[in-house]
Amino acid sequence: MRINRKEAWQSFLLVAPSVALIAVFVYGFIGWTARVSLSEWKGLLPDYTWAGFSNFAELLADPRFMIDVRNTVLFTVFFVGGSLALGLGLAICLDQGLRGEGIFRAIYLFPMALSFIVTGVVWRWLMNPAMGSRLSGLNLLFHNLGLDFLINEWHTTPFWGIIAIALPAVWQMSGFCVAMYLAGLRAIPDELIESARVDGASEFQVYSTIVLPILRPVTFSSMIILGHMSLKVFDLIMAVGGKQIPLDVPAMYMWQVTFEGLFYGKGAAIGLLLLLSVAVLIIPYIIYTLRGETEL
Amino acid sequence: MNLRRRLASTLLAAALLAPLVLTACGTPVMLSQQPDLNGPTPLPPDADQVEVFSWWTGGGEAAGLDAMIAVFNRKYPDIIFINAAVAGGAGTNARAVLSTRLQSGNPPDSWQGHAGQELIGTYVKAGQLEPLNFLYEKNGWLWVMPKNLIPLISQDGKIYCVPVNIHRSNVLWYNPAILEKYNIPVPKTMDDWFAAMDALKAAGMKYPLALGEQWTVMHLMETVLLSVLGHEQYARLWTGELDWEGDEVRVALELFSKLLTYANSDAPSLSWQDASQLVTNGDAAFNVMGDWAEGYYKELKMTPHQDFGWTPVPGTAGTFQFLSDSFVLPVEAPHREAAIAWLTLAGSKEGQDAFNPVKGSIPARNDADRSLYDEYLQSAMNDWITNKIVGSLTHGVVANDSWKTDINTALGLFLANKDIAVFQRELGRACMTSGPCVQGKGQHAH
């Protein structure tokens, strides 16, 4: 189809404002952040003295930043892995022609409507780490059920505490995975599964060799969406655990170091590393999507 | 244009945008609680008005500010008072709003800040504040405020703020009933204190010391440093004259580390109020907290000497570790004369006696009307006048924000790994990067 000159002009006019705004407010500010991250700016007033990569070098030698990286990795593995596994499991259950499926779908999807702050506050109460006579929340429930061995310190557990933060995140986002997987499952033609069964495949074989491979793109998309949320997590940790170093993540460090400590250069460097880590995740996905679409 | 390609480029744009939008949403508190970046609707420029910026938006603080505004309106009926308070986070949000206003050249006429290095290290360093020596001389404040307070709120002989209230940070709160039950005297020294807590542990109290989130741990640390080092050496820490990596600090940190073993394991999940309540509930016997805890106990209808008792942190009797809310005069104050009127009131007996009884703090002046204050505050007023005065770290007197953030990070790492040698090295490094220390041991910077 050929587009006439007038139409091309009109469409250019229509996109121009958003292109200009994005150029300034997104890419312009990314550039500015990059410039600040290479500066010595510390204190209230801007200071663009060239510092080279010293802010980055400092971060790589910074034990707190190492904790941040470790926490991000642990959180991502447990949050993304947990949401995918739970989502797939529940989706398969729902796909068995359960009565009242709609109700269950709604129940699983509801937590997504909450903000992480709300989820965090609720789970802060549930995961109260108090011991002895002040036992409460889930720990008290375990105690009353006679399951005392399950009582634990949740997010105040040394080293592994960050995994407790992944629990509410899984609770909130697994419903999203259910919806994604359910849509994927519904798209698989019944004939395919029927014929496999006729050929004598066990239920396990049906899922492991037919269903799961077909669902791979769903898994991939969900991983990307959950993954970039996980890399930037801030509000949930703030709401559950507050500002404490065992639960520190890069976004938290950036906020504290910039707005409480006034180390603008260092804060910008953390922000840039955060952007890079997300880009590492997203860009292959975009390339994959683009290639997929041209091949169609 | 190919529809698919268009879709793909939209997706690409969305994908690149998404992280930024989400990052922006990562600070919801700050965004949602900025009521108006430009302050209230501007009056005509010739109208006499004063815009005062603070984070006093709730409880006794807001009530105290209202009481002071009432006095101001009575004394200066021609000046319109504009209360530009920003809520949230012990001033964190307010400070972010303030720095935006300062960077865009739109300062309020006066703002609230913790007296000392928190103001000096940030705003004086950036050339934003006017020295107030002329006000102190004109109003005779030098005669009614403690002599050793003045250096703590000055830089190079210039005074930069008017302290409205005074709080004490080195207070040990205890449960009198528990101490009586086990026949334990109120501890006077660190040794007494450990003996008392050992006795309580032996009697079955697992965690005799109540502790809350990380800033309350830093609060405990500053009082232990004061207790072990004494007021003179403690003061030298902040001028860079005492070596952070030396033996004296190590001894203090070892005791601090030992104290932590007596504290509740769920400390990171408790606010300071939660920790204060552990003492009155009898779950713990001791808690170190600033004297705003007394205001909280009163709110809970607790009776002094019966539900709670107080004493200086063991080993710090005779020293008053203070913090203070104060007001300043920006260099570019749009209504300088009106701002000076506000500051004059903030430093006056009348203004301070209007604010402090309501807020639950003591005036910086020594000539206040004692009958307005309760029993604890009267005892604090005595100590304020007679004791040696040193500044608090956690509450902004002795270290600038950058230094404090570095110390906070070092402390957080220490709480995770309990390695005193690494902690001392990090503290030494913090003093060099953001404090007055210079390369080489314990050199004086000035």
Side-chain angles (χ1 to χ4, degrees), chain B residues 272-289:
Chain B
W272 70 265
Q273 290 99 329
D274 296 333
S276 294
Q277 263 196 39
L278 291 185
V279 174
T280 44
N281 289 348
D283 289 309
F286 299 105
N287 174 232
V288 172
M289 185 40 57

Side-chain angles (χ1 to χ4, degrees), chain A residues 27 42 44 64 124 234 261 290, chain B residues 8 16 26 103 269 402 409 433:
Chain A
Y27 297 100
K42 172 180 159 187
L44 200 62
R64 177 168 175 180
R124 183 192 172 108
F234 173 92
L290 286 178
Chain B
L16 289 176
Q103 284 171 11
S269 71
S402 303
T409 295
T433 41

Side-chain angles (χ1 to χ4, degrees), chain B residues 252-273:
Chain B
L253 293 180
E254 277 166 359
L255 284 181
F256 167 63
S257 181
K258 190 177 164 195
L259 267 180
L260 294 178
T261 63
Y262 293 86
N264 46 311
S265 57
D266 62 334
S269 71
L270 299 187
S271 67
W272 70 265
Q273 290 99 329

Side-chain angles (χ1 to χ4, degrees), chain B residues 60 75 80 83 106 143 149 255 277 358 366 421 429 431 435:
Chain B
K75 287 190 91 167
I80 300 160
N83 183 0
N106 174 29
W143 301 106
L149 164 71
L255 284 181
Q277 263 196 39
V358 187
N366 60 20
R429 203 186 52 79
C431 185

Side-chain angles (χ1 to χ4, degrees), chain B residues 360-383:
Chain B
S361 47
I362 63 168
R365 303 169 62 104
N366 60 20
D367 59 350
D369 179 357
R370 295 172 58 90
S371 66
L372 295 170
Y373 297 85
D374 69 21
E375 186 193 348
Y376 166 76
L377 292 175
Q378 287 187 8
S379 78
M381 288 162 92
N382 287 343
D383 290 347

Side-chain angles (χ1 to χ4, degrees), chain A residues 3 26-27 42 44-45 64 67 124 129-130 133-134 228 232 234 244-245 255-256 260-261 263 286 290 293, chain B residues 1 4 8 12 16-17 19-20 22 26 30 99 103 126 266 268-269 278 283 401-402 405 408-409 433-434:
Chain A
I3 302 169
V26 177
Y27 297 100
K42 172 180 159 187
L44 200 62
L45 297 181
R64 177 168 175 180
I67 290 182
R124 183 192 172 108
S133 57
R134 292 187 293 116
H228 90 268
K232 292 175 307 191
F234 173 92
Q244 46 161 317
I245 289 194
W255 178 60
Q256 241 181 331
E260 289 180 14
F263 294 96
I286 293 170
L290 286 178
E293 286 190 5
Chain B
M1 199 197 216
R4 284 207 194 94
L12 185 116
L16 289 176
L17 259 174
L20 289 142
L22 291 173
M30 287 175 52
S99 57
Q103 284 171 11
D266 62 334
S269 71
L278 291 185
D283 289 309
D401 284 331
S402 303
T405 302
N408 191 39
T409 295
T433 41
S434 305

Side-chain angles (χ1 to χ4, degrees), chain B residues 73-108:
Chain B
N73 286 338
R74 206 165 58 236
K75 287 190 91 167
Y76 303 95
D78 303 334
I79 304 176
I80 300 160
F81 188 93
I82 301 169
N83 183 0
V86 174
T92 318
N93 304 332
R95 297 222 308 267
V97 174
L98 181 61
S99 57
T100 317
R101 289 189 59 170
L102 291 177
Q103 284 171 11
S104 65
N106 174 29

Side-chain angles (χ1 to χ4, degrees), chain A residues 16-175:
Chain A
S18 64
V19 167
L21 288 175
I22 288 174
V24 173
F25 289 104
V26 177
Y27 297 100
F29 282 151
I30 290 177
W32 185 56
T33 305
R35 178 65 188 90
V36 172
S37 75
L38 300 172
S39 77
E40 285 176 3
W41 184 355
K42 172 180 159 187
L44 200 62
L45 297 181
D47 168 11
Y48 293 105
T49 314
W50 186 257
F53 286 92
S54 66
N55 285 320
F56 294 92
E58 216 174 278
L59 281 175
L60 293 181
D62 182 344
R64 177 168 175 180
F65 195 67
M66 291 303 112
I67 290 182
D68 294 355
V69 172
R70 181 204 80 195
N71 280 346
T72 306
V73 170
L74 277 179
F75 181 79
T76 305
V77 168
F78 281 85
F79 166 49
V80 177
S83 301
L84 289 179
L86 200 63
L88 179 63
L90 290 173
I92 289 174
C93 291
L94 284 184
D95 196 39
Q96 306 302 315
L98 200 69
R99 269 171 70 110
E101 185 207 309
I103 297 174
F104 283 107
R105 234 174 25 210
I107 289 176
Y108 294 143
L109 216 48
F110 259 141
M112 250 187 89
L114 300 177
S115 77
F116 265 143
I117 290 283
V118 175
T119 307
V121 169
V122 172
W123 280 81
R124 183 192 172 108
W125 294 331
L126 289 175
M127 302 193 292
N128 188 326
M131 292 289 157
S133 57
R134 292 187 293 116
L135 221 52
S136 77
L138 289 174
N139 280 349
L140 186 61
L141 181 72
F142 294 152
H143 177 70
N144 289 343
L145 293 175
L147 302 169
D148 284 36
F149 64 93
L150 282 176
I151 291 176
N152 70 82
E153 296 184 313
W154 302 110
H155 56 91
T156 54
T157 313
F159 199 88
W160 300 106
I162 189 76
I163 297 173
I165 308 281
L167 276 179
V170 169
W171 175 81
Q172 176 149 356
M173 293 311 291
S174 54

